[in-house]
Amino acid sequence: MHPKTSNMKCNATMLPLGESAVLVEFGGGIHPDTHRKVKAFTEYLDSHCLPGMIEYVSAFSSVTVFYDSLMVKQLHQDHVELRKEPSYRIISVILQKIVAELRTGDGQEARIVEIPVCYGGELGPDLAYVAEYNKLTVDEVIDIHSMGDYLVYMVGFAPGFPYLGGMSEKISTPRRQSPRMTISAGSVGIAGVQTGVYPIPTPGGWQLIGRTPLALFRPNENPPSLLQAGDRIRFYPISQQEYEEYKREPI
Amino acid sequence: MSIKVLQPGLLTSMQDLGRYGYQKHGVIVSGAMDTYSLRIANILVGNQEGEGALEIALLGPSLEIEKDSLLAITGGNLSPTINGKVVPMWRPVYVKAGSILQFGACKSGCRSYLAIAGGYDLLEVMGSKSTYLRAGIGGFQGRALQRGDVLAVKSPHGASLDRTEYFKRKYSPESFVSSSWYAGRPPIPQALRLTTIRMTRGLQFEYFTAESKSQLLNASFQVAAQSDRMGYRLSGVNLQLESPLEMISEAVALGTVQVPPDGNPIILLADRQTVGGYPKIGQVAIVDVPILAQVRPGATIQFQEITLEEAERLYIARENDIQELKTAIQLKFL
């Protein structure tokens, strides 16, 4: 369905985010090809120990590497030509070398995660509005939403919250005029051409079309997020009864 | 061995140096707003410097210390007293069981840290004892303290035990005894003074108008009342882009100064989200984040630009200072 563009070479710009982080910008905006570069880079970071690195955050077209400048300076004394340089340059040189070696085709196959959603009713109070706004029936909205193939570009904003690409513009709907004070965990919403699932109760202006019984944020598991950047998602409709059963006995 | 919460205060929460390694899953870092003061408090009582401690904001709690304990209070001066008697800050204090530790008026800064020898007995969540308030996890039951809470304290061991024993021997029938020396006390911002915060240029600095760039570094900003652990909202100057900028979400960092379309900058702090989509005009130097965290809402700050190299030099110098301080304190107990 989504054949990998084989072995794209990567290049990136290194930008300092203060004295403790470097933003590695791949360019290319929100696009599956850009995402493959981001993914190839984070897979490298996941499987290699980079002395002085604390963690990374991946986004649509960039990966930000957080580091401790004291440790970077101490641990990279062997780079003679860099010894007197600030840690930002040391880490940039190291990351630039990694990027130059990357090939996007080397990555793992995307994981497919299926998410059950009880559409409409109390759990999806804005479903009728989304249908009306797009001159569709409620069932058509459900069909379009659940037939889509979505890519998790990044996780952020809230713990386990996926930024998804791939929603059909046929069901695109602007945010609500007045945001709700609180949106329940598991709510599936639409905002413009984006769709997403709220992992924890949050205030927000998204149009809520349904709710999943799945927990997206799992603080006692590792990783604590059901979804990871690079996953592909399919939503499938379930009844309110199935929703309740699922809530009682998670699979 | 425990501490009982008689009055919880405005926002008293358990924090440490933060929850690292999970930002890629959208899990925020949290942790102390003033990590410097938290570290010094722990060092004073012989704990690991990143041990969990109570962060006490603006209006402090009233606590009953249920067993003889060694503690240290650092950060902003919220007029701590034990059984009505003023407790000195920035030093180890040995307290008798049954004593009431109470915080009062905010004299300088706005956040105090209370560390106890042995540390608070809490489970780590994702490797940290920090409270993640919005997700309701970590720290003490994932929330700020409430009246009636009882915080268990671990038995001191190693350095924290040695120090507890040292002060026990010095104990007189007062309600507490402290060292004659103090350590690590930095200049804490006073409410009515202008505080200077050093910063480096943000990634989108160049996209702002010449006037905005100049005002950023020359005007003063008021810390707005809506400021919280997530970020400080600044008012006073309207910062504008030269022309609209198409930004897509990317990571932000501690101290990132971002500017939403209304032109009022926000400095992102301990409870910041992992990503953001607003242009970043500046980046507060890491060494000045603890100072900023002590500036209370309503007070004013001004920015001073430094280079990235200077910010890093300051950071490394401060880390070395803390290590020296640690050694100097150890020597006091030999």
Side-chain angles (χ1 to χ4, degrees):
Chain A
M1 253 173 91
H2 284 268
K4 278 182 179 163
T5 321
S6 58
N7 290 336
M8 274 187 299
K9 273 195 81 162
C10 300
N11 51 61
T13 314
M14 307 286 150
L15 302 161
L17 186 62
E19 66 272 41
S20 66
V22 175
L23 193 142
V24 182
E25 174 63 59
F26 289 91
I30 304 175
H31 192 279
D33 284 346
T34 309
H35 174 75
R36 279 188 203 103
K37 296 176 187 172
V38 166
K39 189 72 186 157
F41 187 53
T42 58
E43 278 173 7
Y44 180 94
L45 297 178
D46 283 334
S47 55
H48 294 78
C49 174
L50 221 57
M53 186 182 94
I54 297 166
E55 63 179 322
Y56 70 79
V57 171
S58 67
F60 289 113
S61 66
S62 65
V63 177
T64 300
V65 175
F66 292 85
Y67 62 91
D68 182 282
S69 45
L70 189 60
M71 283 172 74
V72 167
K73 286 204 72 108
Q74 284 169 350
L75 297 171
H76 295 277
Q77 288 286 334
D78 50 326
H79 290 71
V80 180
E81 74 285 7
L82 293 172
R83 199 176 287 167
K84 295 222 168 69
E85 295 284 321
S87 60
Y88 159 68
R89 294 229 178 77
I90 300 174
I91 203 127
S92 293
V93 166
I94 295 166
L95 295 176
Q96 198 64 265
K97 277 183 194 154
I98 295 169
V99 170
E101 303 278 304
L102 287 180
R103 292 294 180 276
T104 56
D106 302 343
Q108 300 154 9
E109 280 297 322
R111 207 167 59 118
I112 294 169
V113 183
E114 301 204 313
I115 297 185
V117 180
C118 176
Y119 287 98
E122 274 173 39
L123 303 178
D126 302 327
L127 179 64
Y129 178 80
V130 171
E132 188 192 314
Y133 182 86
N134 290 290
K135 302 191 174 58
L136 296 167
T137 66
V138 159
D139 286 342
E140 283 169 331
V141 173
I142 297 174
D143 282 350
I144 294 168
H145 191 262
S146 60
M147 263 148 54
D149 174 27
Y150 303 93
L151 170 64
V152 180
Y153 276 106
M154 57 189 275
V155 174
F157 165 69
F161 179 87
Y163 284 79
L164 299 176
M167 194 183 79
S168 166
E169 293 198 7
K170 289 179 195 160
I171 53 173
S172 151
T173 314
R175 284 162 204 262
R176 286 167 55 88
Q177 290 286 333
S178 60
R180 289 187 169 89
M181 290 304 286
T182 179
I183 290 177
S184 304
S187 293
V188 178
I190 290 177
V193 292
Q194 277 192 76
T195 185
V197 188
Y198 282 84
I200 57 171
T202 316
W206 291 43
Q207 305 284 355
L208 305 183
I209 60 167
R211 201 181 295 174
T212 177
L214 280 187
L216 270 74
F217 177 45
R218 302 166 174 208
N220 297 316
E221 291 175 26
N222 195 6
S225 173
L226 171 69
L227 303 172
Q228 315 297 325
D231 287 347
R232 305 206 78 95
I233 287 187
R234 313 261 160 81
F235 294 106
Y236 66 95
I238 56 170
S239 66
Q240 174 119 19
Q241 191 188 342
E242 286 170 309
Y243 175 89
E244 304 294 345
E245 281 165 14
Y246 204 111
K247 271 292 208 195
R248 275 197 299 275
E249 267 180 83
I251 297 164
Chain B
M1 185 168 176
S2 51
I3 293 180
K4 191 172 173 189
V5 180
L6 306 178
Q7 293 290 341
L10 186 65
L11 181 64
T12 305
S13 66
M14 195 64 68
Q15 301 294 344
D16 59 13
L17 296 179
R19 186 169 282 113
Y20 286 94
Y22 299 91
Q23 284 200 85
K24 59 171 169 278
H25 304 298
V27 176
I28 66 173
V29 173
S30 312
M33 289 281 277
D34 173 357
T35 50
Y36 177 84
S37 293
L38 179 132
R39 292 166 76 182
I40 301 297
N42 278 317
I43 290 169
L44 287 166
V45 297
N47 289 346
Q48 293 292 317
E49 60 182 75
E51 182 57 66
L54 283 179
E55 178 176 279
I56 294 161
L58 282 163
L59 186 66
S62 178
L63 306 167
E64 184 178 342
I65 313 292
E66 295 187 328
K67 197 185 166 199
D68 297 359
S69 312
L70 185 70
L71 49 84
I73 303 166
T74 59
N77 185 348
L78 272 58
S79 309
T81 57
I82 286 175
N83 299 334
K85 205 175 150 206
V86 174
V87 195
M89 295 177 61
W90 303 94
R91 60 190 93 197
V93 182
Y94 183 75
V95 184
K96 272 314 245 189
S99 297
I100 307 291
L101 169 61
Q102 191 164 7
F103 291 81
C106 192
K107 282 189 179 155
S108 70
C110 60
R111 279 168 240 274
S112 275
Y113 292 85
L114 173 62
I116 190 153
Y120 300 90
D121 193 6
L122 297 163
L123 289 177
E124 290 188 349
V125 177
M126 286 176 254
S128 167
K129 291 176 181 167
S130 288
T131 314
Y132 183 172
L133 292 164
R134 172 157 268 174
I137 59 164
F140 184 82
Q141 299 181 7
R143 58 167 171 79
L145 296 190
Q146 293 172 0
R147 184 190 308 208
D149 286 345
V150 177
L151 309 175
V153 176
K154 287 183 286 187
S155 296
H157 57 278
S160 61
L161 179 62
D162 293 347
R163 285 186 208 178
T164 306
E165 294 295 324
Y166 175 92
F167 282 100
K168 197 178 194 169
R169 289 193 295 273
K170 285 181 66 173
Y171 183 74
S172 61
E174 304 287 325
S175 46
F176 67 85
V177 57
S178 68
S179 64
S180 54
W181 48 268
Y182 64 87
R185 188 170 68 186
I188 297 281
Q190 306 290 317
L192 299 174
R193 298 242 180 90
L194 179 67
T195 304
T196 300
I197 300 294
R198 290 167 288 191
M199 56 153 265
T200 55
R201 288 185 181 195
L203 290 177
Q204 286 79 36
F205 179 85
E206 291 304 333
Y207 295 91
F208 284 84
T209 63
E211 195 194 354
S212 294
K213 285 187 272 194
S214 158
Q215 283 182 315
L216 175 73
L217 301 168
N218 294 302
S220 62
F221 295 85
Q222 188 174 36
V223 176
Q226 307 93 303
S227 298
D228 56 17
R229 283 182 41 89
M230 191 169 162
Y232 272 18
R233 285 157 197 277
L234 306 181
S235 62
V237 178
N238 205 267
L239 302 173
Q240 291 301 331
L241 291 165
E242 197 69 67
S243 57
L245 198 58
E246 236 0 86
M247 292 265 307
I248 56 174
S249 290
E250 59 188 31
V252 294
L254 178 65
T256 294
V257 187
Q258 62 174 23
V259 184
D262 73 3
N264 294 314
I266 301 171
I267 310 177
L268 300 175
L269 296 169
D271 284 352
R272 67 195 177 278
Q273 288 176 3
T274 54
V275 293
Y278 295 130
K280 302 183 255 295
I281 198 169
Q283 185 69 41
V284 171
I286 293 173
V287 291
D288 281 357
V289 172
I291 298 168
L292 183 65
Q294 293 294 352
V295 175
R296 82 180 81 158
T300 50
I301 62 168
Q302 65 181 7
F303 291 112
Q304 180 197 341
E305 189 188 350
I306 57 171
T307 62
L308 200 61
E309 287 75 10
E310 176 69 356
E312 178 174 307
R313 200 190 57 72
L314 290 168
Y315 170 74
I316 291 174
R318 195 199 54 186
E319 290 306 304
N320 290 334
D321 286 349
I322 291 178
Q323 295 321 309
E324 279 175 23
L325 185 76
K326 213 189 257 185
T327 310
I329 291 172
Q330 275 161 6
L331 293 174
K332 298 270 188 200
F333 293 98
L334 288 182

